[in-house]
Amino acid sequence: MKICCLGAGYVGGPTMAMIAYKCSDITVTVADINEARINAWNSDELPVFEPGLDDVVKAARGRNLFFTTDKVTAIKEADIIFVSVGTPTKTYGAGAGKAADLKYIELCARDIAEHSDRSKIVVEKSTLPVRTAQGLKTVLSANTREGIDFQVLSNPEFLAEGTAIEDLENPDRVLIGGEEETEAGRAAIETLAKVYEYWVPRENIITTNLWSSELSKLVANAFLAQRISSINSISALCERTGANVDQVAYAIGRDSRIGPKFLKASVGFGGSCFQKDILNLVYLCEYFGLPDVAAYWEQVIIMNDWQKSRFSQKIVTTLFNTVNGKRIAMLGFAFKKDTNDTRETAAMYVGRDLLDEQAVLAVHDPKVSREQIFKDLKESETDAEGNPNPLVDICDDPYEAAKGAHGLAVMTEWDSFKDLDYKKIYEGMYKPAFIFDGRNILDHEALREIGFEVFAIGGK
Ligand code: NAD
Ligand code: UDX
């Protein structure tokens, strides 16, 4: 069997690497139009940082895992074609700011129809609005030769960044949606299920109709994000009342109906998925004439935006209502630990707010590149004369970032931040020295003993 995947991004790359790793008799080719990305997948410096990914790629690459820009050959040879291209929020026209932009998906469908000379299974791996498969099928069948049939399946990906390999190796479930009502549809579902069965127990492979599968992905992300916005809303109430949000989260999480996961209050959720997928859900609800349902889910985003700006305001008001010219150290820039991804990271929004207030930002992140941080902050590295930007200082070393700072903000929960020598950091900072723990990962009592003034999300 031959599998191809269009899109070698955060999802396509690791997902296909895992399939190739687990199924040594299946040839897996990942095709992308971005040559630099493909070159990186073929090098020692993979374009995605994920714990364990290097080993999986190294074991399979060149054996039965290939990365290429030649999508035509990849499409022609494949029995199953995964589509794992981006589905960003639309920035233009109808639905701008909410609806998913499906242009990359449609281009893939047209490519598949044009270059296929036999029937194939097409798998939606990207996260898509419910009922996209219908449009996909129409484009495929309108552009292909007679006698060629495409079975469209929905197989959304539930991996989280930073734990992608663990999630792929041991998924809570694999979801496959297809045309359950036809024999050909059931056969296609079975073919894909057989691939996952190489390593996933059958009882963890759920099959549904197409629309349930497409919708389940959006709903899963909406529920997860809703938990974070819920606990973040409570963090504000804790700060006013003397309750401690971590204690509240623990107490409610012990109820087995609530459960302990995804109740960590934070400076706000980031990442490429939650906001985009909820906006998409909101758009769909509006489109299907359900404005009250749309407003309900939109509140999850509104609360998240509020949490991020509340954090920047807290820094400014605590530092005596001005950060103008003051150095603020930001520890962490990635949207969560163990990833180099900064898409929608809270650090970017808080950083921009502080720059608007004319602070000097000293940013340290163990994995995010200097170029990426400048890009996200919408700042250039140098001025017209080539002098370094005086407002943004990217530091390889966390102690250097904190040196001469008035405040230090923990933006990402990197484990290494817990073990820093905070006495040394304190000595190098202006007094009073403030710490704003946007992730509640530090030992606040110990910090106060050193002399820090500590602000913790949800009071502690
Ligand atoms: P990404 O931007 O990292 O990767 C998409 C890739 O598709 C890019 O490299 C791009 O060059 C390529 N591409 C675009 N058009 C192409 C074409 N016609 N042919 C071949 N390649 C093409 O995106 P991602 O984070 O991997 O996300 C992909 C999809 O998976 C999205 O729908 C996203 O919502 C979903 N998803 C993402 C995550 C995540 O954690 N990032 C998790 C689950 C689901
Ligand atoms: C998410 C979903 O978890 C995953 O199933 C889906 O496939 C893609 O979207 P991801 O965005 O990679 O994954 O990471 P996730 O672990 O969900 O974290 C998202 C954001 O929420 C991060 O900024 C994280 O720091 C934040 N978060 C998470 C909290 O603030 N508190 C929590 O309790 C959990």
Side-chain angles (χ1 to χ4, degrees):
M1 180 188 283
K2 288 196 171 173
I3 288 179
C4 125
C5 176
L6 300 178
Y10 279 87
V11 169
T15 312
M16 292 303 123
M18 184 57 73
I19 292 181
Y21 177 67
K22 295 288 184 184
C23 317
S24 55
D25 57 339
I26 298 179
T27 302
V28 182
T29 305
V30 193
D32 203 294
I33 47 176
N34 181 335
E35 196 175 350
R37 219 168 208 192
I38 289 298
N39 289 342
W41 279 111
N42 282 321
S43 76
D44 286 338
E45 271 300 304
L46 301 184
V48 170
F49 170 73
E50 275 294 335
L53 177 64
D54 281 21
D55 291 341
V56 171
V57 170
K58 271 185 196 135
R61 197 173 56 192
R63 178 188 73 181
N64 64 329
L65 174 65
F66 304 94
F67 295 94
T68 180
T69 50
D70 181 5
K71 58 182 171 165
V72 175
T73 309
I75 290 170
K76 269 196 175 26
E77 291 182 346
D79 304 293
I80 302 179
I81 302 172
F82 285 82
V83 179
S84 187
V85 296
T87 48
T89 305
K90 223 177 145 194
T91 53
Y92 53 89
K98 280 189 184 151
D101 191 341
L102 299 179
K103 71 177 170 200
Y104 305 109
I105 293 285
E106 183 172 335
L107 286 171
C108 286
R110 289 182 186 277
D111 272 342
I112 294 168
E114 186 184 342
H115 302 298
S116 294
D117 39 27
R118 61 195 160 86
S119 297
K120 289 168 197 286
I121 296 173
V122 177
V123 185
E124 299 173 341
K125 188 47 116 179
S126 301
T127 302
L128 295 168
V130 57
R131 296 202 76 85
T132 302
Q134 183 136 357
L136 211 54
K137 270 194 263 187
T138 309
V139 172
L140 285 166
S141 57
N143 290 284
T144 197
R145 291 162 241 175
E146 219 178 303
I148 296 183
D149 174 54
F150 293 102
Q151 275 299 317
V152 177
L153 298 177
S154 157
N155 172 223
E157 184 48 59
F158 295 102
L159 69 77
E161 289 180 29
T163 54
I165 293 304
E166 216 175 298
D167 296 340
L168 288 168
E169 193 147 32
N170 198 8
D172 285 349
R173 79 311 205 179
V174 166
L175 177 58
I176 304 175
E179 274 180 11
E180 284 181 312
E181 60 289 358
T182 68
E183 201 175 310
R186 288 193 296 275
I189 293 173
E190 200 45 39
T191 304
L192 184 56
K194 283 259 173 321
V195 172
Y196 284 106
E197 265 188 79
Y198 274 74
W199 79 97
V200 179
R202 182 72 201 205
E203 63 269 23
N204 291 350
I205 302 175
I206 304 172
T207 62
T208 65
N209 75 29
L210 272 169
W211 323 129
S212 305
S213 175
E214 289 178 335
L215 186 57
S216 295
K217 174 64 199 178
L218 295 183
V219 174
N221 275 350
F223 269 60
L224 288 168
Q226 182 196 41
R227 280 173 74 95
I228 303 169
S229 276
S230 296
I231 200 70
N232 281 345
S233 73
I234 298 303
S235 73
L237 187 58
C238 287
E239 288 161 30
R240 298 279 164 92
T241 57
N244 173 318
V245 77
D246 283 340
Q247 291 179 345
V248 173
Y250 180 72
I252 64 166
R254 285 294 295 268
D255 184 325
S256 60
R257 294 168 302 175
I258 295 174
K261 295 182 182 168
F262 264 70
L263 286 179
K264 184 72 184 158
S266 67
V267 54
F269 62 74
S272 64
C273 292
F274 282 170
Q275 173 160 313
K276 160 178 89 69
D277 293 347
I278 294 174
L279 288 172
N280 189 354
L281 186 65
V282 168
Y283 178 75
L284 285 167
C285 294
E286 282 167 356
Y287 177 84
F288 286 105
L290 300 166
D292 304 274
V293 184
Y296 176 77
W297 287 108
E298 191 161 24
Q299 196 58 36
V300 174
I301 302 285
I302 293 170
M303 184 51 61
N304 195 50
D305 288 341
W306 183 72
Q307 186 77 348
K308 289 181 278 189
S309 62
R310 192 167 87 80
F311 190 76
S312 344
Q313 277 165 24
K314 185 78 197 176
I315 294 177
V316 177
T317 51
T318 307
L319 291 176
F320 316 106
N321 287 314
T322 177
V323 289
N324 185 318
K326 290 180 182 168
R327 185 175 174 93
I328 310 289
M330 277 190 136
L331 293 192
F333 203 80
F335 82 97
K336 62 187 278 194
K337 71 172 181 177
D338 293 339
T339 178
N340 60 347
D341 196 347
T342 62
R343 288 179 289 182
E344 292 301 327
T345 179
M348 164 168 78
Y349 293 102
V350 171
R352 286 183 199 163
D353 286 349
L354 294 174
L355 286 172
D356 281 347
E357 292 288 342
Q358 304 193 344
V360 175
L361 282 191
V363 187
H364 163 75
D365 188 285
K367 285 288 169 200
V368 180
S369 73
R370 170 186 185 84
E371 298 72 37
Q372 190 63 48
I373 295 172
F374 273 104
K375 197 170 154 212
D376 289 335
L377 291 173
K378 294 191 172 157
E379 289 284 325
S380 53
E381 292 196 37
T382 51
D383 64 15
E385 280 88 51
N387 302 312
N389 185 330
L391 296 179
V392 181
D393 184 12
I394 311 296
C395 305
D396 291 338
D397 178 63
Y399 299 102
E400 186 196 326
K403 208 166 172 36
H406 287 256
L408 180 149
V410 178
M411 304 304 300
T412 312
E413 72 281 22
W414 286 101
D415 289 336
S416 58
F417 296 163
K418 294 181 198 164
D419 303 323
L420 296 175
D421 180 348
Y422 281 94
K423 208 162 178 318
K424 180 173 160 188
I425 287 181
Y426 179 77
E427 279 156 14
M429 286 176 67
Y430 279 97
K431 310 296 177 316
F434 293 94
I435 285 196
F436 303 88
D437 188 351
R439 298 290 184 163
N440 279 355
I441 54 163
L442 305 182
D443 180 344
H444 300 149
E445 274 323 302
L447 292 174
R448 287 190 180 112
E449 259 168 44
I450 292 172
F452 281 106
E453 299 282 335
V454 181
F455 166 75
I457 298 270
K460 196 163 58 158

